[in-house]
Structures are given as C-alpha cells and as structure tokens.
C-alpha cells in the first residue's frame, strides 16, 4: 500500500533563501490556508491509535497532493501529541519511537520529529529529522549555546525544494515552571520561511539553515529573538536589532516597524512606567529612562487595532535587556501619563484631525500653551489637566483647560497652576450619544519656570454653549476693588448681565457683549443671560471668584 521513498538528497543551491528576510512571506512556499479548511477539519477528527500505518492510511484518504499529505500529518500531530513535561525531566525512561509516541499520546521534541519523519516516509514523502539549538523554553537574552543540541524539528521535500517545520512548537506551549503543557496551535511553524526560522532554530549542520549566506552560531546568539507573534501580527523589524541595549545619559530608545493599524504597549521591569511611547503610522517609538542602575527587562507588546474579540489582547512580540549605567533623574513622568503619548493615527481615527502639535511633549516657559485641532463631525470633547501631588483636585484639573470652538476647529488653552510636569488628557464622545466620554489621548506639558502661577479659568455652567467664547477676563480669579473689562462672544440671546455687588448690563457690539463691572464689596461675580426678551428669568453661564484683600 505504501510507496518506498528514495533516500533524501542533501540541500543544494535551489533550496536556499536570501538572508536577511525580504519581508515578503512568512512561509517558504505559497500556501492558501483557506483551501486547507476542509482537510484540517478532517485530519483533526481522525482517531486511529492502533498503528502508525493505519493512522497514515486514514489521514491520506482526503489528501491528494504531497503538500496536502504533509498538511494532514502536521495537523494531526499538532492536535494529538502533547509535550511530555514529566518525561522531559527524566529522559532515560523515555522512548521517542513513533509507535510508542502514538500509544502514549505524548513525547518531547525528539519524539514529535521522529513520528513526523516516519509518517511522511509512509506517505511517500521525503522528510528528515534535524537537530540543533533552539531559543525555546528557559532561553535567556544574550546567552551562549554550548555542548549538545537541545531541540529537534523536520525538513520536508515538496515541489522540488526543502522546507522547514517544527511540530513541537506548532502544538502548544509549556508554562514558566515547565510543569504544564497547553495545546495552542501555532500556524507559524508550518513551512516557515528559513530567514525567520533561523531566528530561534540553529541546526547542527548549517546546510539545513537553507539560507545564503548561512549564519554562524555567534550571529545566532547575538541576533534579536522575535517570537512568532512578532511576525503573525505583521511586524517587520525592531531597532536596535541586538537584544542588549546600553543607556546613553540614562535613556534607551527602541522602535518597531510594522504594517499600519497596530497598537503597542511596553513593560519595563514588569510595569508600564518610566517611558514615553509614541505611535507612528508604520510602527512606534519608545524612549525609556530607568530610575535605577543595573539590568532591566523591557518587553514590547502589540495587537491589531481592528481585532476580533479573540485577538483583542496584547501579545509580547520582542524583549530587550536595558543596561542602565546612570539614571536621568530629571526625566520623571507623572503617574497619570498614559501610553502612547501625543497625537497619532489612532486619535485621527477618533476625529482629532490636523493637530497643531504633533510632538508628544510640549515645553512652555510662561506656563501657557494652546492646542488646536480640526474636529470630525458630531464630536463632543472633555479635557482635564493632571499632575503628581494634590495641587489639582479633579474639578480644578478641568478648569485649567479652556475649550473654544470656531466652526469645526477646537482650541484648548492651558494655564498651568505652577511649574512641573502635567498631563493634558483628552476624551470624546458622539454628541448624539448619551453615554460616557471615552479617553482618546494625552500630551505631556513641561514648565521649568518656578514663577509661574496661573489661576483657573472661570467656572462655566450648562447654558454656556460650546461655540461661545471668552475674550476677557480669561482668569477665573478677579482682582478686588477694580473695574474689570468684560468681552464675551455669544449669540442667540437677548440680554447679558454681570452680577457683582451691583448688576452691570453688557452691551452688544459686533457679535460681542462688552462692558465693565466693579469687583468691590463682593467675593463672586456671575455672568447671566436672558435667552428671551419676554421672559423675566436669567440663567447663570459663568462664575468668577474675587481675590480676598
């Protein structure tokens, strides 16, 4: 029933792929996964355990081409053989003979690779078991490899060329303590492009890298480890491309290049702190400032922005070790700073277009700054200012930012209460939406000038409409015993009054309501409007405080 396979030929020139990776395909030959759907489903259901021959016979019933035969064998092994964590610690008791692996339903890499090779040869397909070093479980960034090889995988001969696969890593993963195996199918290790496979598999015989040029063990050790998530999520490159980074003046910088629409986060020593990350169209940039000397693990996570619910989690894509020689004490970030910082394609998708400031950090000398955006349709905006310590309670944090709308333009004026580092948070919702505001993005604002001490803007009430504008006074704290000039842009109202100790009406002049009011003898000043000349009641729109003597 089975054809004999001739002895496998060694890899030659036509099997080789260029290194480094050309960013084209994740696989070494064109594979249409949609076309495998029926075959995959069939292979998973095959339940034959009495002999390897009968198992292969059953799998081949639905497979015509060599590629389909290899796929059916691969699918079955990845979903029916589990990694033997107990056997791994006691290898002398372990058999990796195909018949025993099938009976037990579990093995270590050696057994996976031997079963794969044997099933392929029964199916008439040339297959070879390869051994070498792998950056797998227990690998430490920057470590060297000595002594015997520690992993096994396979090469298969399809359509006139050799291809690589690893059914152990295709089947799932082992937890950190190496006591529990979890089935988690990984498509990445089926016919992986050799320039990507070399990332974590180094064969004893370098011809089986299937690369030109081949890498040395030293290059393999020094190369950045990108796990399969890195490529499956469409990431293309990470810089620097060495796993250990030295800080320069207390700072280390990393960037990732990817296809558009990827979201990122990071952890330095397990916490999303001491860093400034910005999203750019084709990736992200990150500066970290460790606050202690020594070695710090830096992990970068990614997820697609339009994720299916099942994929809507951040997955670790790359790890660095940051060696910090000196700490930059001056660069500390406020607790409330949220990553990423600054505007990006993400805030643009949420309707904040053409930002006046594209950089994440803004330095102000006099403690004042202003941000403008063009707003998408039907957007209502909420803002707040935050800093460490208790100088800004929540309601005050809102009142240090003043929103002004002119058509579809929004201006955010910020007056800082004192020197320091502040976070300007920006939230939005659809005007037509009754629900809560969603956080969109934030800026970091820095001011070193210790003379700075701006009061909050006046308090506004619900009748103060979005496109009204305060021209003066902008300060919510008025001087005592002074005549204060008022100038407000408001439309669609009949009368405006300023109520201090006495009532002062404002007069309309070219779309502005203007006038003066004395602050003597009062602690608060209100601006009130008459919406309709025939009504007798007023609505409060603004409230100012008056300085105490």
């Amino acid at each position: 029933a089975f054809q004999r396979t001739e002895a496998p030929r060694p890899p030659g020139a036509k099997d080789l792929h260029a290194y480094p990776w050309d960013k084209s395909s994740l696989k070494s030959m064109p594979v249409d996964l949609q076309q495998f759907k029926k075959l995959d489903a069939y292979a998973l259901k095959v339940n034959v355990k009495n002999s390897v021959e009968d198992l292969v016979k059953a799998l081949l019933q639905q497979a015509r081409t060599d590629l389909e035969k290899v796929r059916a064998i691969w699918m079955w092994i990845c979903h029916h053989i589990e990694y033997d964590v107990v056997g791994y610690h006691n290898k002398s008791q372990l058999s990796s003979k195909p018949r025993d692996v099938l009976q037990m339903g579990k093995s270590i890499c050696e057994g996976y690779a031997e079963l794969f090779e044997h099933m392929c040869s029964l199916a008439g397909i040339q297959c070879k078991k390869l051994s070498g070093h792998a950056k797998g479980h227990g690998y430490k960034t920057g470590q060297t490899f000595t002594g015997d090889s520690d992993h096994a995988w396979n090469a298969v001969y399809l359509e006139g060329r050799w291809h690589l696969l690893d059914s152990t890593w295709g089947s799932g993963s082992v937890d950190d303590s190496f006591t529990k195996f979890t089935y988690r199918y990984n498509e990445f290790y089926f016919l992986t492009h050799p320039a990507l496979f070399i990332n974590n598999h180094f064969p004893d015989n370098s011809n089986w890298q299937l690369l030109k040029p081949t890498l040395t063990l030293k290059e393999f050790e020094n190369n950045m480890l990108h796990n399969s998530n890195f490529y499956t999520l469409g990431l293309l490159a990470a810089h620097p491309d060495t796993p250990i980074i030295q800080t320069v003046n207390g700072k280390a910088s990393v960037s990732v290049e990817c296809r558009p629409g990827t979201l990122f986060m990071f952890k330095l020593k397990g916490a999303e702190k001491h860093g400034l990350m910005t999203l750019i169209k084709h990736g992200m940039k990150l500066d970290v400032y460790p606050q202690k000397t020594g070695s710090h693990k830096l992990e970068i996570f990614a997820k697609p922005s339009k994720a299916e619910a099942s994929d809507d989690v951040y997955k670790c894509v790359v790890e660095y070790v940051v060696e910090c020689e000196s700490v930059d004490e001056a660069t500390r970030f406020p607790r409330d700073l949220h990553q990423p910082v600054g505007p990006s394609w993400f805030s643009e998708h949420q309707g904040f277009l053409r930002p006046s400031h594209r950089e994440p950090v803004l330095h102000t000398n006099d403690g004042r700054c202003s941000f403008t955006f063009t707003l998408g349709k039907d957007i209502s905006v909420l803002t707040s200012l935050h800093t460490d310590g208790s100088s800004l309670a929540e309601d005050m944090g809102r009142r240090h930012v003043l929103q002004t709308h002119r058509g579809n333009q929004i201006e955010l004026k910020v007056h800082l209460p004192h020197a320091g580092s502040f976070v300007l948070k920006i939230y939005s919702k659809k005007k037509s939406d009754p629900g809560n505001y969603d956080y969109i993005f934030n800026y970091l604002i820095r001011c070193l000038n210790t003379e700075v001490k701006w009061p909050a803007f006046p308090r506004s009430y619900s009748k103060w409409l979005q496109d009204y504008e305060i021209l003066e006074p902008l300060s919510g704290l008025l001087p005592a015993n002074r005549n204060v000039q008022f100038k407000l842009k408001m439309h669609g109202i009949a009368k405006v009054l300023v109520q201090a100790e006495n009532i002062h009406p404002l007069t309309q002049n070219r779309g502005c309501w203007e006038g003066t009011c004395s602050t003597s003898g009062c602690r608060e000043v209100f601006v009130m409007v008459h919406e309709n000349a025939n009504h007798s009641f007023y609505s409060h729109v603004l409230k100012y405080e008056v300085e105490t003597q």
Side-chain angles (χ1 to χ4, degrees):
F2 293 114
Q3 55 194 91
R4 297 300 322 141
T5 55
E6 69 268 34
R9 70 164 178 82
K14 66 177 185 176
D15 300 296
L16 305 184
H17 294 256
Y19 181 87
W21 183 50
D22 60 8
K23 300 183 184 176
S24 58
S25 161
L26 299 183
K27 299 203 180 288
S28 51
M29 66 187 278
V31 171
D32 180 355
L33 296 178
Q34 289 309 103
Q35 287 193 335
F36 285 147
K37 275 214 152 126
K38 268 173 75 171
L39 176 64
D40 289 352
Y42 170 78
L44 293 194
K45 289 198 183 75
V46 169
N47 188 15
V48 177
K49 289 277 169 86
N50 47 336
S51 79
V52 183
E53 286 76 6
D54 290 353
L55 171 58
V56 172
K57 240 176 236 164
L59 286 172
L60 294 195
Q61 279 175 14
Q62 296 289 319
R64 290 178 308 286
T65 65
D66 281 0
L67 173 59
E68 286 173 358
K69 292 172 187 175
V70 168
R71 179 70 178 189
I73 293 168
W74 157 268
M75 261 341 231
W76 193 91
I77 291 181
C78 286
H79 291 86
H80 293 85
I81 306 296
E82 61 175 291
Y83 194 85
D84 187 351
V85 282
V86 179
Y88 172 82
H89 295 292
N90 189 4
K91 294 199 183 76
S92 59
Q93 305 295 306
L94 212 59
S95 162
S96 51
K97 288 199 174 71
R99 197 180 56 223
D100 298 333
V101 172
L102 182 62
Q103 298 296 306
M104 297 287 296
K106 56 182 173 189
S107 183
I108 59 170
C109 55
E110 197 73 18
Y112 279 90
E114 289 198 17
L115 179 60
F116 204 99
E117 183 179 43
H118 185 52
M119 287 173 76
C120 282
S121 88
L122 290 172
I125 288 160
Q126 291 189 46
C127 176
K128 195 163 164 50
K129 183 186 102 180
L130 303 175
S131 53
H133 292 293
K135 292 183 180 177
H137 193 275
Y139 168 73
K140 297 271 184 291
T141 298
Q143 79 171 59
T144 54
F145 291 89
T146 50
D148 294 342
S149 54
D150 54 19
H151 191 51
W153 57 93
N154 297 93
V156 288
Y157 194 72
L158 292 169
E159 297 180 15
R161 280 180 106 175
W162 282 106
H163 302 271
L164 303 169
L165 48 78
D166 183 341
S167 58
T168 311
W169 288 10
S171 65
S173 56
V174 181
D175 65 339
D176 287 343
S177 60
F178 217 85
T179 50
K180 183 170 171 291
F181 169 81
T182 309
Y183 276 115
R184 189 180 292 115
Y185 175 70
N186 194 337
E187 177 62 47
F188 182 73
Y189 292 107
F190 179 68
L191 310 184
T192 316
H193 193 296
L196 301 180
F197 204 73
I198 192 65
N199 198 348
N200 44 20
H201 293 75
F202 189 84
D204 293 336
N205 174 345
S206 61
N207 291 337
W208 285 108
Q209 293 180 21
L210 306 184
L211 292 176
K212 56 170 191 267
T214 52
L215 274 72
T216 63
L217 180 60
K218 192 92 209 111
E219 288 173 306
F220 173 72
E221 290 169 346
N222 292 340
N223 271 356
M224 205 53 218
L225 173 61
H226 299 316
N227 60 26
S228 59
N229 295 328
F230 185 92
Y231 298 106
T232 333
L233 285 167
L235 308 192
L236 299 169
H239 309 280
D241 51 11
T242 48
I244 296 171
I245 315 175
Q246 312 288 340
T247 56
V248 177
N249 300 330
K251 166 175 129 174
S253 300
V254 170
S255 64
V256 176
E257 184 192 322
C258 65
R259 303 194 159 86
T262 310
L263 294 169
F264 291 90
M265 64 170 280
F266 72 91
K267 283 184 177 170
L268 184 66
K269 274 209 164 159
E272 196 172 18
K273 288 213 285 252
H274 311 310
L276 185 82
M277 181 177 83
T278 52
L279 283 185
I280 49 184
K281 186 173 177 195
H282 293 285
M284 70 86 140
K285 290 184 169 146
L286 168 65
D287 293 332
V288 291
Y289 300 83
Q291 293 298 305
K292 285 195 176 107
T293 54
S295 290
H296 302 257
K297 178 157 118 177
L298 172 62
E299 300 163 286
I300 312 285
F301 301 82
K303 74 171 185 183
S305 60
K306 298 185 179 62
E308 315 294 315
S310 61
D311 284 338
D312 200 20
V313 287
Y314 280 101
K315 295 190 177 131
C316 184
V317 289
V318 68
E319 270 184 35
Y320 289 95
V321 172
V322 177
E323 303 273 1
C324 177
E325 286 165 27
S326 67
V327 171
D328 175 357
E329 306 243 350
T331 307
R332 293 241 171 104
F333 298 107
R335 250 197 336 267
D336 281 308
L337 187 67
H338 204 87
Q339 309 289 343
V341 187
S344 65
W345 56 265
F346 180 78
S347 52
E348 208 163 278
H349 286 186
Q350 308 294 323
F352 290 82
L353 313 170
R354 295 194 267 289
S356 55
H357 295 81
R358 296 203 169 270
E359 292 300 314
V361 186
L362 186 131
H363 294 271
T364 163
N365 189 40
D366 72 354
R368 296 182 296 184
C369 51
S370 135
F371 301 82
T372 60
F373 305 92
T374 302
L375 274 189
K377 284 197 174 33
D378 184 38
I379 292 178
S380 179
V381 178
L382 188 72
T383 54
S384 57
L385 192 67
H386 304 258
T387 188
D388 287 350
S390 55
S391 61
L392 275 180
E394 188 176 354
D395 58 329
M396 283 315 277
R398 295 230 171 98
R399 284 189 44 208
H400 276 272
V401 190
L402 180 68
Q403 272 189 51
T404 306
H405 292 255
R406 301 178 190 95
N408 61 356
Q409 286 267 317
I410 180 176
E411 180 191 12
L412 305 174
K413 275 193 176 77
V414 180
H415 285 185
L416 301 180
H418 51 76
S421 291
F422 293 82
V423 181
L424 171 64
K425 292 201 169 188
I426 300 174
Y427 303 79
S428 79
K429 73 178 183 76
K430 287 214 176 315
K431 284 182 195 158
S432 48
D433 201 348
N436 291 333
Y437 284 85
D438 290 323
Y439 166 78
I440 309 295
F441 66 119
N442 57 186
Y443 282 97
L444 177 60
I445 303 172
R446 290 206 157 123
C447 177
L448 298 172
N449 180 355
T450 51
E451 308 286 294
V452 160
K453 190 179 178 221
W454 291 101
F457 293 105
R459 186 184 288 286
S460 60
Y461 298 102
S462 58
K463 292 281 188 190
W464 178 263
L465 301 187
Q466 192 167 276
D467 52 357
Y468 289 178
E469 187 175 345
I470 304 175
L471 297 171
E472 57 181 339
L474 280 177
S475 165
L477 188 62
L478 303 178
N481 305 322
R482 200 75 70 71
N483 276 336
V484 177
Q485 177 74 29
F486 278 79
K487 191 171 181 185
L488 308 167
K489 244 188 202 170
M490 300 153 81
H491 56 80
I493 44 187
K495 245 184 188 174
V496 184
L497 306 174
V498 177
Q499 178 194 353
E501 191 176 30
N502 302 314
I503 293 209
H504 307 260
L506 301 184
T507 53
Q508 198 172 9
N509 174 18
R510 289 210 215 91
C512 288
W513 293 85
E514 304 181 68
T516 54
C517 139
S518 161
T519 59
S520 60
C522 64
R523 299 290 310 277
E524 297 174 328
V525 173
F526 291 94
V527 177
M528 306 185 305
V529 298
H530 239 340
E531 291 172 71
N532 184 322
N534 304 327
H535 290 170
S536 58
F537 56 82
Y538 286 86
S539 309
H540 286 74
V541 288
L542 297 174
K543 174 188 174 185
Y544 291 83
E545 317 271 330
V546 178
E547 283 178 348
T548 48
Q549 291 293 310

